[in-house]
Amino acid sequence: RFGGASPGDQGLSLPSCDDWDALWLDYRVQWPLGLVLTPRIMGRYRDAFRFLWRLRRTTGELDEVWTTLRRISSRSHAHSRLCDSPQVWHLRHQLYHLLCNYQTYVQADVIEAQQRELSDKVGQAENFLDLENALDAFTSSLISQSFLDVTSITSMLDGVIKLCFKFANAVHAQLDSNSPLESLPLFSRLQDDFQRRQGMLFAVLKGSKLSAS
């Protein structure tokens, strides 16, 4: 579904991406599934979908950056030097590495692991209440283990995602630039900003994991 407000879990502050944030998952629950798929559970599913969709949108934009850099590098010697500079090529790699690792963690270590537990509980369920409790625990774990209920982490991810799009726009702008090396200070500032944000994010993630253990 595109447009309008997504009736997700109240109190969550998901990282924002671009205009495609308006896309969200909608499923009309028919009776008797409504006894199991309650509005609270469906809201968590929507929030998990929106979060993963925004991560994928951002890594997709970084894929476009790779294509643009290859096009730029063939324009002139100055363009080639810009593309090979640590401020540009390494920054793109670091941004992509961080977001892909986070996405892989959510999909493999959270969703797949919790899915196995959910399947076991569903197999042991004796009534609708057991199924509802199993789904409630499953979706709650999706949110908490993805750190979507930790505002400090989601706000840092939001900053990293916005930095990705700022970086992408700066790279795409070099297609029409006759003096690409003049943009190196801008990319240096973006790289410094990323290093700062990454360090803060890792520190908070480490603290959250230690607190949960």
Side-chain angles (χ1 to χ4, degrees):
R1 183 170 178 174
F2 194 86
S6 168
D9 226 27
Q10 295 297 318
L12 291 185
S13 179
L14 298 178
S16 60
C17 183
D18 56 14
D19 291 342
W20 283 97
D21 288 356
L23 182 69
W24 51 281
L25 187 67
D26 189 24
Y27 178 72
R28 300 184 184 279
V29 180
Q30 303 294 325
W31 191 91
L33 289 179
L35 299 174
V36 177
L37 298 173
T38 63
R40 179 172 62 177
I41 289 173
M42 292 304 297
R44 291 172 183 162
Y45 272 121
R46 292 187 188 100
D47 286 330
F49 170 83
R50 290 193 299 159
F51 175 60
L52 289 172
W53 166 247
R54 293 173 192 184
L55 284 181
R56 186 64 190 90
R57 278 283 304 123
T58 308
T59 55
E61 186 64 29
L62 292 173
D63 287 334
E64 290 294 324
V65 167
W66 185 90
T67 302
T68 299
L69 288 173
R70 297 272 59 83
R71 292 174 59 193
I72 292 174
S73 64
S74 62
R75 286 197 58 191
S76 69
H77 178 66
H79 285 86
S80 179
R81 285 180 59 193
L82 173 73
C83 294
D84 293 335
S85 66
Q87 299 95 319
V88 177
W89 192 255
H90 291 178
L91 178 55
R92 186 260 172 197
H93 174 75
Q94 290 169 329
L95 288 166
Y96 196 85
H97 180 74
L98 172 62
L99 292 178
C100 280
N101 277 346
Y102 202 101
Q103 184 174 330
T104 300
Y105 159 74
V106 173
Q107 292 177 327
D109 295 343
V110 178
I111 295 178
E112 290 183 11
Q114 292 300 318
Q115 180 67 39
R116 288 191 292 270
E117 290 190 21
L118 174 62
S119 296
D120 291 340
K121 292 180 180 178
V122 168
Q124 299 169 5
E126 298 180 354
N127 50 53
F128 280 122
L129 182 59
D130 290 342
L131 290 174
E132 180 187 347
N133 289 336
L135 283 167
D136 186 70
F138 170 71
T139 54
S140 179
S141 294
L142 291 188
I143 298 300
S144 62
Q145 293 185 25
S146 300
F147 305 107
L148 297 184
D149 55 348
V150 183
T151 304
S152 59
I153 292 178
T154 56
S155 64
M156 290 178 191
L157 283 173
D158 181 79
V160 170
I161 288 174
K162 285 181 169 58
L163 179 62
C164 286
F165 280 87
K166 186 182 297 185
F167 169 68
N169 290 334
V171 170
H172 297 322
Q174 303 312 309
L175 282 170
D176 301 319
S177 174
N178 294 320
S179 304
L181 294 180
E182 293 181 0
S183 63
L184 280 177
L186 167 61
F187 288 110
S188 294
R189 291 193 297 272
L190 293 176
Q191 189 174 46
D192 291 341
D193 190 15
F194 170 72
Q195 294 296 338
R196 179 180 61 84
R197 293 179 184 277
Q198 178 180 240
M200 293 171 59
L201 178 60
F202 285 167
V204 175
L205 283 172
K206 182 179 179 180
S208 297
K209 290 181 179 179
L210 288 175
S211 298
S213 62

